[in-house]
Amino acid sequence: MRIVITSSEVVPFSKTGGLADVAAALPKALSLVGHEVSVIAPYYPQILQQYRGTLPAIESTGLSVYVSVGPKQVEGRILRSVLPGSNVQVYLIDQPIYFDRSGLYVENDQDFRDNSERFIFFSRAVMEATRVLGLNPDILHANDWQTGLVPALTQIEYRGKPGFAQTASVFTIHNMAFQGQFWHWDMLLTGLDWKYFNWRQMECYGHLNLLKTGISFADMVTTVSPSYSREIQTPEFGCGLSGALSSRHDDLFGILNGVDTEIWNPATDPTLARNYSITSREEGKRACKVALQQRMGLPVRPEVMLIGSISRMTHQKGFQLLEQCSGMLLDQEIQLIFLGSGELRFEEMLKKMAHDHPTKVATTIGYDEPLSHQIEAGADAFLMPSEFEPCGLNQMYSLIYGTVPIVRAVGGLADTVVDASEENLAHRSANGFSFREFRSDVLFWNICRARAMFADKLKWSQLQQTGMGQDLSWKHSANQYLQVYERAIHKQSV
Ligand code: ADP
């Protein structure tokens, strides 16, 4: 199958969250089983500076695309690279006016004012790059609102044209909370007829909505976990689009993300103080915990449960629960490490906790890839009390690293973490702590449960072994994507 995957971010060229991980790992997994896969993403020169030295070479193809964005004709130079460790071609669209900025979507906590223009340009450039590169895809797979226009352009403008004779489109929703909703006049930038600006296709409460556009026009729609695919068809989780999603019920599938085990593997991870596997995890994790406590300036105390968190510090991730129970939490014999950035209120709270309780809490505000690996390896438990969670990757990294996740049973967290109830322990299916109610006292109680079990070496190591023994690689998920691709192609051919 010839597959083009497009995303606004892809590791190692750019990343703000799980989308970038998926946009690299899925193509690699598909390519490994013999498919011809290309990735198209924007070229962000300032962001790339951060990764200099670790990046594969990026070269010019000598080709450009010229696309209309409203009244403007805009050029996008096509650069070429490759996903490390694979033969997946990556094409980066270079347009400095749109993408040579300090952030991908925001600056100083504010969305760029021209985000619709930037990604309408990008979506049109994806179509044209696919054409001029002669990629002839069977599948054009777009992700999230930034590429939501791609399925619409496939259906409305490109279907049947040379290079797109058989092309079917798939659209994946990574997070309903980000919809790319803009004022209605931005419809003019899309170049599409106003007839598509209706409540069934591109319009949402009077606005242009690019996530809805992707959902409406794609041949098949997926999201990143089975539970989330059910949740988003309800008003509680649908963020205003539950109706649009329910109307695509038969074409909507939840496929759990996998883990890129070339990057996330405690046996080979170059950032760790000591590598380990399921059999050497006790010594390995002990050494990693000491190194982590030292790095974060916490007392080196092997007997104290160390809880890690690597996250956007936002409401979605449940930091308000932590805020509410922080007093009780700090009375406990535990250590907490936080890495991330986000809402100022939560950043300030976590910095203050570290300042006031330096022997118990360490907080790093910012983005730090090696530290994120060291936390996954060195922590005993990992905290993820999300209000909603499409899939979540960190709880899966935790499982692989023998770090027991404490999560709210929602979305992908519900699909991956099995609570340490007596019954689940007896079945040897338990791998973490999981609770339903979004309440701070319930979170606190579960942290206490975890701490009690941490003291029971036998049970704790059973939880670790169950997690580390699971196959969370992309193999299974890539197979499910292939089935969805087949259905999309079949829909096209009838
Ligand atoms: P999100 O909703 O943010 O996409 P996920 O759990 O799906 O949440 O994925 C987040 C990804 O970003 C993970 O790979 C995680 O390790 C990484 N990450 C998040 N914050 C940081 C940070 N501050 N430093 C390093 N990596 C981070």
Side-chain angles (χ1 to χ4, degrees):
M1 216 182 272
R2 280 189 301 270
I3 302 160
V4 172
I5 296 182
T6 181
S7 162
S8 57
E9 48 187 271
V10 56
V11 160
F13 305 95
S14 49
K15 173 167 169 174
T16 65
L19 169 63
D21 292 338
V22 176
L26 174 62
K28 284 202 273 184
L30 292 169
S31 153
L32 263 183
V33 288
H35 299 282
E36 204 177 300
V37 195
S38 312
V39 175
I40 307 182
Y43 176 64
Y44 304 99
Q46 291 188 43
I47 307 298
L48 282 167
Q49 294 289 335
Q50 301 165 16
Y51 302 104
R52 229 185 8 211
T54 59
L55 279 175
I58 299 174
E59 60 194 35
S60 170
T61 58
L63 297 169
S64 280
V65 293
Y66 298 88
V67 304
S68 305
V69 187
K72 296 183 208 162
Q73 273 287 319
V74 186
E75 180 185 2
R77 284 197 316 134
I78 308 176
L79 311 180
R80 187 204 321 263
S81 189
V82 71
L83 283 182
S86 78
N87 52 17
V88 175
Q89 295 291 306
V90 178
Y91 298 102
L92 300 169
I93 306 293
D94 178 23
Q95 175 37 261
I97 290 179
Y98 291 140
F99 301 123
D100 190 4
R101 301 189 184 179
S102 60
L104 267 57
Y105 320 117
V106 295
E107 195 169 48
N108 302 327
D109 256 359
Q110 296 287 315
D111 284 358
F112 290 123
R113 292 168 70 95
D114 59 351
N115 270 348
S116 60
E117 182 174 334
R118 298 170 74 219
F119 289 103
I120 288 169
F121 161 78
F122 177 64
S123 296
R124 282 203 167 269
V126 168
M127 303 307 293
E128 279 301 286
T130 301
R131 188 179 65 78
V132 303
L133 290 163
L135 299 177
N136 288 307
D138 301 300
I139 289 291
L140 197 37
H141 182 170
N143 293 275
D144 273 354
W145 73 263
Q146 293 89 344
T147 53
L149 200 61
V150 166
L153 294 171
T154 306
Q155 182 167 319
I156 297 167
E157 291 189 3
Y158 282 80
R159 186 146 284 159
K161 293 243 175 87
F164 295 86
Q166 315 273 320
T167 306
S169 64
V170 172
F171 184 63
T172 298
I173 303 160
H174 296 259
N175 195 333
M176 290 297 299
F178 303 109
Q179 298 196 357
Q181 183 143 294
F182 304 102
W183 76 327
H184 60 287
W185 288 115
D186 281 357
M187 188 66 195
L188 293 171
L189 298 176
T190 68
L192 295 179
D193 195 290
W194 278 101
K195 74 177 181 195
Y196 300 109
F197 191 74
N198 66 71
W199 67 274
R200 285 184 182 278
Q201 292 178 306
M202 300 177 76
E203 183 262 352
C204 188
Y205 300 108
H207 292 85
L208 168 65
N209 186 311
L210 292 175
L211 191 78
K212 183 172 182 174
T213 302
I215 294 167
S216 308
F217 283 95
D219 292 304
M220 296 295 289
V221 181
T222 72
T223 188
V224 289
S225 69
S227 288
Y228 196 58
S229 79
R230 287 188 294 274
E231 289 166 358
I232 58 180
Q233 295 178 59
T234 66
E236 188 189 350
F237 291 96
C239 302
L241 294 183
S242 56
L245 287 157
S246 302
S247 73
R248 300 289 327 252
H249 177 83
D250 292 343
D251 301 324
L252 172 63
F253 287 84
I255 303 175
L256 202 62
N257 288 333
V259 171
D260 187 336
T261 46
E262 271 174 36
I263 300 176
W264 294 95
N265 180 350
T268 53
D269 192 329
T271 66
L272 305 190
R274 171 145 359 147
N275 290 115
Y276 58 93
S277 64
I278 192 163
T279 47
S280 57
R281 76 180 185 287
E282 257 184 63
E283 312 85 78
K285 280 191 72 70
R286 195 178 307 126
C288 291
K289 183 170 175 178
V290 170
L292 180 63
Q293 286 168 324
Q294 283 171 339
R295 174 170 177 178
M296 300 304 288
L298 291 171
V300 174
R301 296 185 60 191
E303 76 288 1
V304 173
M305 183 169 78
L306 172 56
I307 304 177
S309 158
I310 305 158
S311 179
R312 288 184 289 116
M313 292 163 176
T314 62
H315 271 79
Q316 178 197 331
K317 302 292 181 179
F319 280 90
Q320 60 276 43
L321 297 190
L322 208 69
E323 191 174 45
Q324 287 157 18
C325 68
S326 60
M328 292 191 297
L329 212 52
L330 290 165
D331 283 341
Q332 304 297 308
E333 267 290 85
I334 54 172
Q335 292 181 342
L336 293 154
I337 289 179
F338 297 100
L339 167 64
S341 59
E343 292 168 30
L344 208 60
R345 160 181 158 197
F346 296 132
E347 288 187 7
E348 291 302 326
M349 165 188 83
L350 297 168
K351 280 197 289 196
K352 187 169 175 347
M353 276 168 71
H355 178 266
D356 295 348
H357 302 271
T359 59
K360 288 192 170 170
V361 184
T363 299
T364 297
I365 302 296
Y367 191 90
D368 189 328
E369 193 79 27
L371 179 57
S372 71
H373 287 242
Q374 288 155 8
I375 293 174
E376 287 293 5
D380 298 301
F382 194 87
L383 200 57
M384 243 172 133
S386 303
E387 186 171 9
F388 64 93
E389 193 60 73
C391 176
L393 289 169
N394 277 304
Q395 85 280 11
M396 296 202 267
Y397 302 153
S398 300
L399 291 170
I400 287 179
Y401 279 64
T403 301
V404 177
I406 304 170
V407 308
R408 173 153 183 256
V410 70
L413 297 172
D415 293 338
T416 49
V417 178
V418 180
D419 184 60
S421 65
E422 284 305 326
E423 196 186 349
N424 293 335
L425 281 166
H427 293 144
R428 304 194 80 80
S429 60
N431 60 12
F433 296 85
S434 169
F435 57 93
R436 290 212 163 269
E437 279 176 283
F438 190 64
R439 287 194 354 224
S440 59
D441 56 333
V442 179
L443 167 64
F444 177 69
W445 185 70
N446 275 277
I447 293 174
C448 294
R449 273 179 78 208
R451 202 179 134 234
M453 204 165 287
F454 178 68
D456 181 337
K457 264 198 169 308
L458 222 57
K459 280 191 179 155
W460 193 260
S461 73
Q462 184 188 321
L463 293 179
Q464 290 179 310
Q465 287 183 53
T466 304
M468 290 184 85
Q470 288 176 249
D471 180 3
L472 296 168
S473 72
W474 267 97
K475 212 164 49 193
H476 182 60
S477 308
N479 218 2
Q480 289 180 296
Y481 272 104
L482 285 170
Q483 288 172 24
V484 168
Y485 292 168
E486 296 284 359
R487 284 175 90 125
I489 291 167
H490 179 72
K491 271 185 83 177
Q492 265 317 295
S493 61
V494 291

